[in-house]
Amino acid sequence: MTSIGGAEMVDWNLAVATATRLVRPGPEISREEAREVVAELRRHAKAAEEHVRSFTRMIPEGTEPEDTPVLVVDRVGWIKANVAGFRELLRPLLGKMQDRRPGGPGGAVLGAVGGKVTGVEVGMLLSFLASRVLGQYETFAPATRELPASADGGGRLLLVAPNIVHVERELEVDPHDFRLWVALHEETHRTQFTGVPWLRDHLQGEIQSFLDETDVDPMTLLERLREAAQSLAGGRPEGEDGEDGGRSLVELVQTPAQREILGRLTAVMSLLEGHADYVMDGVGPEVVSSVGEIREKFQQRRARGAGRLDQALRKLLGLDAKLRQYRDGERFVRAVVDEVGMDGFNRVWTSPNTLPTKAEIEKPADWIARVHRKAES
């Protein structure tokens, strides 16, 4: 590990080790069945690519966007991939916080112990998330020996096989239909970033601006991580929100400037998630015969959660906001496509200026008026 002043703020190797040790085992499955699941997910990812491109019309015929790898991983593979991404994305912020670390004995203790403590806590949070994610397009993904990425070091599609099997069994849906349905959602994210060349840099710029505005004492941030980890470990009573009213970690460290940036980020993420939901349901009836049953049962599962502790953690980690992004974003996309068609909706990908604002996500007619009337005048 590299070090600044003696130790990193987060011991990432310890985070991986902790998450790997604590993550729940996957569903019971034979080795032969596991091989079949992996092979089928790879086939579905390839098939989904053509379905999504045809439905969205985001990539003109005859053009071939940058290729990004599709990786079928287990829970430990997902953990390793995300630690690599977090480490790269948070490097400027952690360096800034390290420079602000107090001197004297207190600073020495934080340097020697803080990175280990935070590594354990990050690992605990990742172990919680690793059993819940079905798939993920990693936008900021440095290549590693175990986990390749696209040529420029950004972009790979992950499908988490044990989680997909777990959910298809829990919902009692057709496993082959469900696997393709999941692949359609994640392939839409890959199409968004490979078909819109400026999107990755724009999103990364917004995230870095958010992190650059962070003005929080290192001990405060460590305490927030500790709060989340204690909730996960059951050290905090279920449903007890405390003095912060149950706000998420992101909300707890915001400055006024960050709230403005976060509003723009929320709008973009709502667009991306809602678009993926819209596409997988739009393509679904043609290629997934039981899409209606899958959607109904999956929506019920999203809303239900898994008990009070799970709901408290989702709130603390900001996952409730992600659920709202699916719902609000899908409504925006559907309303715009119904009004101006798919090609009219695709004007959203023209430039950062044509992305919807947070207010426009809630009022699609305002986006249509701004983007279409301006283009037609």
Side-chain angles (χ1 to χ4, degrees):
M1 289 172 55
T2 58
S3 63
I4 306 175
E8 279 193 310
M9 292 294 294
V10 180
D11 187 332
W12 295 109
N13 293 337
L14 184 57
V16 171
T18 300
T20 300
R21 185 174 68 253
L22 296 179
V23 70
R24 297 175 182 176
E28 292 186 10
I29 186 171
S30 70
R31 182 169 298 183
E32 180 61 29
E33 186 180 0
R35 282 196 293 264
E36 292 174 357
V37 170
V38 170
E40 183 174 16
L41 286 173
R42 287 178 176 152
R43 291 196 303 271
H44 283 332
K46 184 62 179 176
E49 182 178 357
E50 296 183 11
H51 293 312
V52 169
R53 290 186 183 184
S54 174
F55 183 81
T56 63
R57 301 199 291 273
M58 290 178 62
I59 300 174
E61 290 187 17
T63 63
E64 191 62 33
E66 177 188 20
D67 188 34
T68 55
V70 176
L71 307 178
V72 181
V73 298
D74 58 13
R75 292 171 177 175
V76 173
W78 181 88
I79 289 167
K80 291 179 178 179
N82 277 266
V83 165
F86 288 154
R87 187 173 188 171
E88 186 67 24
L89 194 61
L90 296 176
R91 192 183 302 276
L93 171 63
L94 296 179
K96 176 181 175 181
M97 291 175 61
Q98 196 139 353
D99 290 341
R100 292 188 55 191
R101 197 170 57 198
V109 170
L110 180 61
V113 180
K116 300 290 184 185
V117 172
T118 311
V120 169
E121 290 164 350
V122 169
M124 293 178 70
L125 297 179
L126 286 172
S127 71
F128 169 78
L129 295 171
S131 61
R132 285 159 171 77
V133 177
L134 301 182
Q136 174 184 355
Y137 182 77
E138 278 201 294
T139 315
F140 315 107
T144 67
R145 184 172 57 185
E146 296 177 314
L147 297 164
S150 62
D152 66 352
R156 60 182 166 224
L157 181 61
L158 305 180
L159 295 172
V160 190
N163 295 350
I164 293 172
V165 171
H166 171 79
V167 174
E168 69 192 26
R169 290 179 177 178
E170 178 186 333
L171 298 182
E172 297 181 335
V173 295
D174 182 279
H176 309 294
D177 281 1
F178 185 74
R179 293 165 197 174
L180 177 54
W181 189 71
V182 171
L184 289 169
H185 181 101
E186 302 309 331
E187 176 57 39
T188 303
H189 287 316
R190 185 163 72 148
T191 299
Q192 289 164 349
F193 283 95
T194 57
V196 184
W198 54 264
L199 184 58
R200 178 180 180 272
D201 288 342
H202 171 72
L203 190 59
Q204 185 173 29
E206 291 281 58
I207 293 172
Q208 288 303 331
S209 295
F210 181 88
L211 297 177
D212 288 344
E213 289 290 338
T214 298
D215 187 20
V216 61
D217 178 78
M219 290 303 295
T220 302
L221 186 56
L222 296 184
E223 182 59 33
R224 300 310 181 195
L225 286 169
R226 189 167 297 112
E227 181 181 346
Q230 287 173 349
S231 294
L232 180 59
R236 185 175 173 210
E238 294 181 12
E240 179 182 309
D241 290 332
E243 62 180 11
D244 293 309
R247 290 180 292 162
S248 72
L249 287 172
V250 171
E251 292 171 319
L252 288 169
V253 300
Q254 278 183 58
T255 65
Q258 284 179 309
R259 279 193 289 274
E260 182 178 342
I261 298 169
L262 189 63
R264 297 196 299 267
L265 278 170
T266 299
V268 174
M269 297 311 296
S270 295
L271 170 68
L272 299 180
E273 295 294 356
H275 183 233
D277 264 13
Y278 178 82
V279 170
M280 72 179 182
D281 285 346
V283 174
E286 296 184 7
V287 297
V288 181
S289 59
S290 59
V291 64
E293 177 191 3
I294 291 173
R295 163 56 73 187
E296 181 180 358
K297 289 184 175 180
F298 194 75
Q299 289 286 54
Q300 291 173 355
R301 182 180 185 272
R302 270 184 182 170
R304 185 172 63 249
R308 294 175 62 195
L309 179 58
D310 183 77
Q311 292 170 2
L313 272 166
R314 288 194 333 195
K315 174 65 177 175
L316 185 61
L317 298 173
L319 299 183
D320 280 352
K322 189 173 179 67
L323 297 180
R324 288 194 298 273
Q325 287 168 7
Y326 286 115
R327 182 186 64 242
D328 297 345
E330 196 273 342
R331 275 204 301 255
F332 170 84
V333 176
R334 185 173 299 280
V336 173
V337 173
D338 286 348
E339 182 68 23
V340 298
M342 185 63 75
D343 292 333
F345 165 78
N346 280 341
R347 288 188 186 180
V348 77
W349 312 117
T350 304
S351 75
N353 293 329
T354 56
L355 291 172
T357 65
K358 190 175 179 181
E360 288 170 341
I361 287 288
E362 298 176 2
K363 295 183 178 180
D366 290 352
W367 180 87
I368 294 172
R370 176 173 67 86
V371 172
H372 282 263
R373 289 178 186 171
K374 181 178 180 181
E376 293 164 0
S377 62

